[in-house]
Amino acid sequence: MPLDETTEELARTAATGDHVALGELLRRVEPDVLRHCERLLPYRQDAEEACQDTLLAVARNIGRFEGRSRFSTWLHIVTANCARTTYRTLKRRSAEQSSDDLAEQRPDPHRVSVIAGARLDLLDAIEALEAEKPDLARALVLCDIVQLDYSDIAAQLGIPLGTAKSRIHQARKHIQASLGDGYLGR
């Protein structure tokens, strides 16, 4: 989700409390946020929900954007977190519904689409890793979902470069064990 310098400047201006800049910023980033959410979630309406959650989170938290990293990096992280939260919410709702209600819902993406099922399996594996080893999960998400380079991951997490690489490697081994040999990262 690389953003141009005008958008980066809008973000810095919005972070100072400029509501006009914030409105323009949200308008500019919405298509990129939606595309990113669509890569993570199997259904468009779920991606749209995650996109709206992301834009709301950006609007609420823009004052926390300090400009130490690029806005695009910050936005990637917020987007990935909102998509994962949407996924968890949908999964919880699905589990809470009775079996009668399940027949009326959308088909199970694990059975209908290989791509959607693989994405859901990956999100499940990341969720399990996060519960067990959150430091590894954060590094993996920044690398393989947000697609930051190693130096940006190290800076974002406040750890040495070698530690970032090690965490990503360990996380991939855990995910690979969960999913079988189908996951190798990027």
Side-chain angles (χ1 to χ4, degrees):
M1 195 179 331
L3 303 175
D4 62 23
E5 285 306 314
T6 305
T7 306
E8 293 286 340
E9 182 58 37
L10 269 174
R12 288 188 288 276
T13 304
T16 66
D18 185 325
H19 296 290
V20 174
L22 177 60
E24 177 62 17
L25 176 67
L26 295 175
R27 186 190 64 75
R28 281 182 181 224
V29 301
E30 183 177 11
D32 290 331
V33 169
L34 181 58
R35 274 192 297 280
H36 193 72
C37 290
E38 285 175 327
R39 287 195 325 233
L40 296 171
L41 297 165
Y43 293 109
R44 180 162 176 95
Q45 73 186 82
D46 298 341
E48 289 170 350
E49 181 178 332
C51 177
Q52 291 305 309
D53 291 346
T54 300
L55 296 175
L56 183 60
V58 169
R60 285 183 176 158
N61 298 305
I62 192 68
R64 294 183 186 162
F65 174 64
E66 299 171 352
R68 288 183 288 165
S69 63
R70 294 183 57 80
F71 173 72
S72 58
T73 301
W74 186 78
L75 182 62
H76 269 95
I77 294 166
V78 172
T79 303
N81 287 340
C82 286
R84 290 172 59 220
T85 299
T86 298
Y87 170 71
R88 278 191 220 109
T89 301
L90 294 169
K91 186 176 169 185
R92 187 174 47 253
R93 277 187 219 151
S94 177
E96 291 171 354
Q97 292 181 339
S98 70
S99 60
D100 293 339
D101 293 339
L102 290 177
E104 297 172 18
Q105 286 188 349
R106 298 178 279 203
D108 181 1
H110 287 96
R111 295 190 177 107
V112 176
S113 167
V114 173
I115 294 170
R119 281 185 276 177
L120 294 178
D121 291 341
L122 178 59
L123 288 172
D124 284 339
I126 290 171
E127 188 175 344
L129 178 62
E130 188 170 31
E132 187 181 328
K133 298 184 179 191
D135 291 342
L136 299 183
R138 276 192 287 277
L140 181 74
V141 166
L142 291 174
C143 184
D144 290 350
I145 294 178
V146 178
Q147 298 184 337
L148 297 180
D149 63 35
Y150 292 120
S151 59
D152 288 339
I153 294 166
Q156 192 71 36
L157 296 176
I159 58 176
L161 180 62
T163 303
K165 289 179 179 181
S166 174
R167 286 182 184 176
I168 292 163
H169 177 73
Q170 290 174 35
R172 285 179 178 158
K173 284 174 50 178
H174 280 280
I175 297 294
Q176 195 170 17
S178 292
L179 298 178
D181 290 332
Y183 181 77
L184 299 174
R186 57 176 160 129

